[in-house]
Amino acid sequence: AGGPFRRAHVEVFALPGRVAVLHVCVFPALGRGAPIYGFDVVSGADRTTGLFLDVTPTTPESEDAVAAWGALACRAAGALGTARELPDWGAIFSPHMVAVRPEGRAGLEAGVSLAEAALELALAEAGPADPAAMRAAQARYVEGQLRNDRTRRMLAGAVGPELAERFIAEALFPPP
């Protein structure tokens, strides 16, 4: 982290033959008016079961990037796969959040291409933002993510509940 980012991280979690997860999250620096970028791919033993992607609004300065994201997501929607319903805590995301079960290799490749384009939007030049407003927006996002019981259960089953809680709070979604 540093420069334009408060935190940018990539995690890969795999239990061979059972599950593999790619997690990417980019939080803008507190004084930078950019959105939060999140991308996850979840695969089981024999297929990809979830692709989740969003360019999440933060401060008013992020609205142009989020609107551009919405246009991209709408154009790509039919090529990705079957929509998945978001849980209640998913209200933290933009209205353009992509949550799908990719349709084969083509759906997964379309999702990865969309993720690359979305990352470019999130990393594009952004004007200044009120650090207090950005801190509040990022705290809201983190609080929502901390309500994700699926991540917690999966990690706890692999590494135990204490280590799972610590990893989620300190590595995946540390507060601003």
Side-chain angles (χ1 to χ4, degrees):
F5 313 118
R6 176 181 74 85
R7 178 169 178 76
H9 61 276
V10 175
E11 279 89 22
V12 175
F13 176 82
L15 296 173
R18 292 176 48 201
V19 66
V21 179
L22 167 67
H23 169 79
V24 181
C25 196
V26 178
F27 291 95
L30 296 180
R32 184 171 175 259
I36 298 167
Y37 173 84
F39 177 53
D40 296 278
V41 178
V42 180
S43 294
D46 60 352
R47 68 178 180 189
T48 300
T49 59
L51 185 142
F52 306 92
L53 174 62
D54 196 38
V55 175
T56 304
T58 51
T59 62
E61 295 81 7
S62 73
E63 289 175 8
D64 288 345
V66 173
W69 158 239
L72 280 176
C74 285
R75 283 196 302 272
L80 300 175
T82 306
R84 292 182 52 161
E85 190 172 326
L86 290 175
D88 290 342
W89 65 264
I92 63 173
F93 300 117
S94 81
H96 318 294
M97 170 69 177
V98 170
V100 298
R101 173 166 295 164
E103 297 292 338
R105 185 170 184 87
L108 181 58
E109 288 176 358
V112 170
S113 292
L114 181 60
E116 291 171 347
L119 183 58
E120 287 181 25
L121 289 172
L123 298 180
E125 190 65 35
D130 173 29
M134 180 59 78
R135 183 182 307 279
Q138 290 188 24
R140 177 180 169 271
Y141 184 91
V142 166
E143 288 167 12
Q145 289 284 5
L146 292 176
R147 292 177 48 210
N148 183 346
D149 289 331
R150 285 186 148 208
T151 299
R152 183 171 286 102
R153 282 192 310 267
M154 183 194 59
L155 286 172
V159 300
E162 288 180 26
L163 186 55
E165 286 297 328
R166 208 168 95 224
F167 182 73
I168 291 167
E170 295 175 12
L172 291 180
F173 301 108

